[in-house]
Amino acid sequence: MVKLTSFDFFRKLPREYTYGTASGGVLSILVLLIVPMLIFFETLTFLSGEIQTDIVIDPNSEENLRINFNVTMLRLPCQFTEIDVFNFFGSKRRDIEKEIQKVVVTGQMGEKFLHYHYEVPRPAVDNPARAAKTLVPPGFQVKSLNKDNFNETLQKDKFAFVNFHAEWCHWCRELQPIWKSFAVAAEQKDMNVNIYNVHCPDNPEICGQQQKIAGYPTLRMFHQGTALHPDFQFQRTEDVLLKYVEKVIIDSHDGPPTRSEKPRAVAAVREHAEEGCNVSGTLYVKRVPGNFVVLANSRDHNFDPKGTNTTHIVHHLTFGDQLTPAQLKQIPKNARHDIDPFEKE
């Protein structure tokens, strides 16, 4: 039987083959003294540690910080896309437009460019009662459409103007008397347009799935069932609504205006279902803690949180002046990605 000692790789010399030395004895005594002391003091230091705070002053003397950004809101129209800035001291800057560019985009990832978006000056309606000038006959109601007759009705009409609304929407309730007065006036003037209402909470198939309504109220023109673009974005008064419809009809030339006619047409054929917004530009903010946000907002629309899609892609986000190609070449390749983590390699 094989003994276990035959497998021993750490064999010892017999004591009679070893001998002690004075230097070895001194070293052993030092080890016995020093090692326990090291363990004691290390433990003491660990248990009695203090938090030390260092304040580092930013040597940059510039008052403002530059933020460069490029963000695509995939399902939020440009008229509802807003840039706000807040800082630690309570300063607020809302709906920033200076040095900001908005582009209407479509496509699954916002890859298709449609056109630039320009904000339309829209003074607030101070007195809704004065905005509705035409007397509305007792019992008059604007025709309502639903999922059963929406497509069929609009296809029969040469022109139709539809108010997509919700009963809980403040701006929709304010618009209703004006919308009724406008419908009566359009009928009296024998304008070639039919006026309708669509109550979106009762017709999610129309507003959500088909027309992609993002805010209430949305006023949209149709030409023989085809939606026109952009939606009505002017002051909501009877006179302005009438002038808008007249302009659309005149520009139609007995047919829907094409995209090439966009510079002079009030509305062109809506070539897309999904509408998003690419917003890019430069912000100058104070060098204090704060944040800037891209959000859905409008001064005269209400939003349904369940139906507001703020899915977005951040293409670019950097701070400070943009580096020139020559400056970038001086930076190691493995560190360039840290300058703009959102930039593709």
Side-chain angles (χ1 to χ4, degrees), residues 139-313:
F140 175 84
Q141 294 294 331
V142 177
K143 299 176 185 178
S144 294
L145 301 178
N146 55 45
K147 63 179 181 180
D148 298 325
N149 61 7
F150 181 81
N151 292 326
E152 181 182 358
T153 302
L154 295 188
Q155 287 171 3
K156 292 179 180 178
D157 294 338
K158 186 169 184 180
F159 286 99
F161 203 5
V162 183
N163 171 24
F164 297 91
H165 68 100
E167 80 282 353
W168 49 261
C169 165
H170 163 76
W171 301 106
C172 300
R173 293 194 298 269
E174 190 172 278
L175 175 64
Q176 279 306 312
I178 303 172
W179 192 247
K180 285 184 179 181
S181 176
F182 159 66
V184 172
E187 186 176 342
Q188 292 177 353
K189 291 176 177 291
D190 198 23
M191 301 179 71
N192 190 17
V193 62
N194 288 322
I195 313 301
Y196 298 106
N197 279 330
V198 172
H199 186 244
C200 287
D202 294 337
N203 297 278
E205 300 87 353
I206 298 175
C207 300
Q209 300 173 16
Q210 182 179 344
Q211 296 298 319
K212 309 295 182 183
I213 301 301
Y216 303 121
T218 291
L219 308 181
R220 182 170 294 173
M221 282 286 291
F222 290 81
H223 181 276
Q224 295 178 336
T226 300
L228 302 185
H229 176 81
D231 296 328
F232 180 85
Q233 299 178 20
F234 305 96
Q235 190 180 39
R236 297 178 191 142
T237 65
E238 179 184 321
D239 289 342
V240 176
L241 288 166
L242 288 170
K243 291 178 181 178
Y244 171 79
V245 171
E246 289 174 356
K247 182 66 174 173
V248 172
I249 294 175
I250 291 173
D251 283 343
S252 68
H253 303 295
D254 295 327
T258 62
R259 180 63 61 190
S260 61
E261 294 175 314
K262 178 68 174 63
R264 68 178 184 82
V266 176
V269 173
R270 191 178 187 89
E271 301 172 347
H272 56 284
E274 303 284 359
E275 180 178 335
C277 184
N278 174 263
V279 55
S280 61
T282 301
L283 295 174
Y284 290 91
V285 300
K286 299 294 184 182
R287 283 183 171 272
V288 296
N291 56 66
F292 83 94
V293 293
V294 184
L295 73 161
N297 194 28
S298 174
R299 67 179 183 179
D300 51 12
H301 290 82
N302 289 126
F303 300 95
D304 181 1
K306 295 181 294 184
T308 304
N309 189 340
T310 55
T311 303
H312 61 278
I313 301 173

Side-chain angles (χ1 to χ4, degrees), residues 68-72 278-281 313-318 342:
N68 314 290
F69 68 95
N70 186 329
V71 178
T72 295
N278 174 263
V279 55
S280 61
I313 301 173
V314 180
H315 304 286
H316 180 86
L317 179 61
T318 57
F342 297 100

Side-chain angles (χ1 to χ4, degrees), residues 2-66:
V2 180
K3 295 182 179 179
L4 290 176
T5 55
S6 61
F7 294 98
D8 186 7
F9 295 149
F10 305 97
R11 303 189 178 201
K12 295 182 179 180
L13 291 174
R15 188 173 181 82
E16 56 268 22
Y17 290 106
T18 63
Y19 65 93
T21 63
S23 58
V26 172
L27 184 61
S28 299
I29 293 172
L30 291 175
V31 169
L32 290 174
L33 294 174
I34 294 175
V35 170
M37 291 176 61
L38 287 175
I39 296 175
F40 172 77
F41 286 114
E42 286 293 331
T43 305
L44 183 64
T45 302
F46 174 78
L47 296 176
S48 61
E50 296 180 356
I51 298 176
Q52 182 176 350
T53 303
D54 293 330
I55 299 178
V56 179
I57 305 299
D58 186 354
N60 197 316
S61 59
E62 295 181 2
E63 182 180 356
N64 295 325
L65 172 67
R66 173 173 170 169

